[in-house]
Structures are given as C-alpha cells and as structure tokens.
Amino acid sequence: MKLGINIGYWQRDPEDATETVLAAERQGYDSVFTAEAYGSDAFTTLAWYGARTSRIKLGTAVVQMSARTPAATAMHALTLDALSGGRLILGLGASGPQVVEGWYGVPFPKPLARTREYLDIVRKVWARREPVTNDGPHYPLPYPGGAGLGKPLKSITRPLRPEIPVYLGAEGPKNIALAAELADGWLPLFVDPQQIDSLFGGSLAARRPGFEITATVTTVVAPLEQALAWAKVPLAFYIGGMGAKDKNFHLDLIGRLGYAEEAERVQKLFLEGRRDEAINAVPDELADSISLLGPLERIKERLELWKASPVTTLLIAGVKDEPTLRALRELVDA
C-alpha cells in the first residue's frame, strides 16, 4: 500500500504547505493531492508545490467539473503534467447541486452523463488524433448557435503524455461503478476499510487491473479522546453543511455506513447553528472507523485494516510535521 498526503483546500487564511510537501517527498511518499470547494482552487496550489519538488506525484482530489469546461480542464492538466515531468493525476468530481448551481451558476442534473462526456473530451484533447468534437447534450463541440463560427480544433500543444491518469471522486454506488468502468482510479472520501467490499464490491466489479483506490484518511496522532474530537470537526461540516438539507451525498454515504439516524441529527444541529453540538453528536465509532486516530501504537493496529482492504494508496490528511510523516511511513512499511 502506497502513502500520499492530502492537504485539502484553504478554508480561512491561505496556508503554504510547501514544507509538509517537501517532507513527504523526502520520506518517500508517493503523492500529494490538493482540493477545491468554493474558495481556493486545486491547480494553482498544486503547481506551486510541483515547482518545488522533483519526484512526488501531483494529484487533485478533486477538481470540480462544473468549474471549468472540459477543454479548460484538459489544458490545465496537460500544462501542469508537462511542467512537472509527467507527475499529474487528474482527480475529477461532480460536486453537488448546492455548489454547482449556487456557486458556478450551471445546472447540476444528470451528473453521470455529464461525467461521461467530460472525461471523453479531456481524453480527446490529450490524444490529439483529430480536432475535438462532441455530439452530447452537455458539452457540445463546436457550440451550436452563438456566432455560428465555431470550428473543431486540435490542441496546438502536444501533451507530454497523451494518457494522463484520471481518478473520479465518487460516493454513490452508480458513480463508483462509473469510476470503475471509465477511470483509472477512485477517490473515496469517507470510507470504512472493513465495509468497502460489502458496500461497494458490486460497483467496483468492473475495475481493470491496475485500478487505483486512493482514500483520504483523517489522521491525528494524539491521545484518543483528543484525536476523536479533532476528527469529528470535518465530519460534522460535511454532514451538516456541504450539501442541501434534502440532497446531501455525504449524509447519504454516512447512512450507508450504518449511521443514518445519527447523521440526520448532526445535520439538524448544524443547520440550526448549533455547531458545537453537531460536532459532539458525531458518533465516536464512525469517526474512528474512517480515520487513523490515537497514539502511534494504536494507529499501527488500525493500519492492518487498511492493508487488508482494496485500498491501494492512503492519503494522510491532517499531519504536517516530518517526524510524524516518517513514523507513519515506517508503520505502513513494517
């Protein structure tokens, strides 16, 4: 099992994580992933860290498809891949209707169909076999109407790699099945290693040899009670605030993990503005099952569950210092 780090996105003050990324590279970590929500973007920070490193792979977990046209994302990807010497992993995600329609101002319906078209177009751009066209209803190329002067075009830049790896961020069974069918990997966010086969085995059945499952795992090396308190904060935020009341994919996922009633209570408290209560309402068992929490001796035991799962890469989220990154790598290698 490989190790990477996920440094997420800026939520308040911009934070330069260069020292953490350099430490991860020195310690032999395989990859660093950045993210975006409705603030900082994923590509700029990834380019910043890529310019300061030489070996570590550079991933997005995830780039929101509605933020950019497929051609724009393909251009970002081929540029960063070339400048980094072929280190990019493009992680794509559909996000949710609250962000897609409220922030980007584009329609959310039919995310699976949109993902198919999107992925087809970015791969056509990189392949450069012919001018890019698309007859689908979501991203038609050339655009029908307008000035009536649109023409199929082929990238004037020849990509360093005509096949850049694409992973999909997915939580629902159909979206995970789409990742297994079309993509090179899956980026799960909240996942219990002991339930991957039982919950998602059917969705993953069509995955090809070499398919990557790259899971972000909140990691807090501290006394267990303190670690649990920290791990519950992002969980409460995603369950309660990252989605509409009646359509929240994160809440649905937590329900499938066996905590439907508890998740609804967390959401209710969060939406009522009772955020401390919402955090406290996150079950200890839930936070513990999808994270790595406690002293290193305990984390060593918990790592065995991940090693026995289909996960191919653990993205450590929350660790910034090199001694802890080194200790975690030694535990995984043991």
Side-chain angles (χ1 to χ4, degrees):
M1 187 172 62
K2 295 171 288 189
L3 270 181
I5 59 171
N6 189 333
I7 55 178
Y9 47 78
W10 297 338
Q11 296 185 54
R12 295 179 179 88
D13 297 328
E15 180 180 6
D16 185 350
T18 295
E19 291 306 314
T20 298
V21 176
L22 290 173
E25 183 170 67
R26 285 193 295 268
Q27 294 305 318
Y29 279 57
D30 181 71
S31 54
V32 54
F33 280 72
T34 58
E36 62 187 20
Y38 40 96
S40 63
D41 79 290
F43 281 123
T44 304
T45 50
L46 200 61
W48 182 262
Y49 303 131
R52 288 155 172 76
T53 55
S54 60
R55 180 198 58 79
I56 198 166
K57 294 174 186 173
L58 308 169
T60 58
V62 295
V63 162
Q64 297 170 315
M65 293 188 298
S66 296
R68 304 162 189 85
T69 64
T73 294
M75 291 166 62
H76 276 296
L78 73 85
T79 303
L80 183 50
D81 191 59
L83 289 172
S84 66
R87 289 188 279 152
L88 183 68
I89 299 169
L90 179 63
L92 295 173
S95 189
Q98 193 175 45
V99 171
V100 170
E101 298 183 355
W103 185 247
Y104 297 120
V106 295
F108 178 77
K110 298 187 177 180
L112 297 180
R114 286 191 290 112
T115 301
R116 283 184 180 276
E117 279 188 40
Y118 204 101
L119 188 50
D120 184 55
I121 293 170
V122 297
R123 284 174 166 163
K124 284 180 178 178
V125 171
W126 300 331
R128 270 189 100 250
R129 296 191 184 96
E130 57 189 4
V132 178
T133 61
N134 181 56
D135 296 328
H138 303 286
Y139 305 103
L141 290 174
Y143 182 77
L149 299 175
K151 61 176 290 186
L153 297 171
K154 184 165 65 172
S155 172
I156 60 175
T157 304
R158 189 178 298 276
L160 178 67
R161 293 189 294 171
E163 295 181 0
I164 296 171
V166 179
Y167 298 177
L168 292 184
E171 292 181 330
K174 291 182 180 179
N175 207 6
I176 296 169
L178 185 70
E181 176 191 351
L182 296 180
D184 303 293
W186 171 39
L187 291 161
L189 181 56
F190 302 130
V191 63
D192 178 349
Q194 298 181 92
Q195 295 195 61
I196 293 175
D197 285 327
S198 60
L199 290 180
F200 309 118
S203 297
L204 293 168
R207 68 187 189 273
R208 299 177 300 279
F211 185 85
E212 296 281 343
I213 300 178
T214 300
T216 294
V217 181
T218 296
T219 304
V220 185
V221 181
L224 182 57
E225 184 175 350
Q226 179 183 341
L228 282 166
W230 277 104
K232 290 181 180 184
V233 174
L235 265 170
F237 176 66
Y238 274 83
I239 294 170
M242 290 293 275
K245 181 180 183 301
D246 298 321
K247 197 173 187 67
N248 183 320
F249 301 124
H250 309 299
L251 182 144
D252 295 342
L253 173 60
I254 299 304
R256 285 192 289 274
L257 291 174
Y259 299 90
E261 292 183 9
E262 295 88 342
E264 289 180 5
R265 172 166 170 73
V266 170
Q267 184 193 58
K268 181 177 184 295
L269 290 169
F270 192 95
L271 294 177
E272 290 175 353
R274 300 156 65 184
R275 298 197 175 184
D276 288 342
E277 293 179 61
I279 293 168
N280 290 331
V282 175
D284 289 357
E285 297 81 2
L286 167 62
D288 193 33
S289 68
I290 63 176
S291 310
L292 286 170
L293 308 175
L296 284 171
E297 295 78 11
R298 185 177 191 274
I299 287 178
K300 180 180 180 180
E301 297 176 4
R302 302 292 296 178
L303 273 170
E304 293 305 312
L305 301 175
W306 294 94
K307 291 180 179 181
S309 78
V311 170
T312 58
T313 299
L314 275 184
L315 295 183
I316 301 298
V319 175
K320 299 179 181 181
D321 64 288
E322 187 161 1
T324 304
L325 289 172
R326 181 189 305 114
L328 292 169
R329 188 212 66 207
E330 290 172 350
L331 292 180
V332 169
D333 292 345

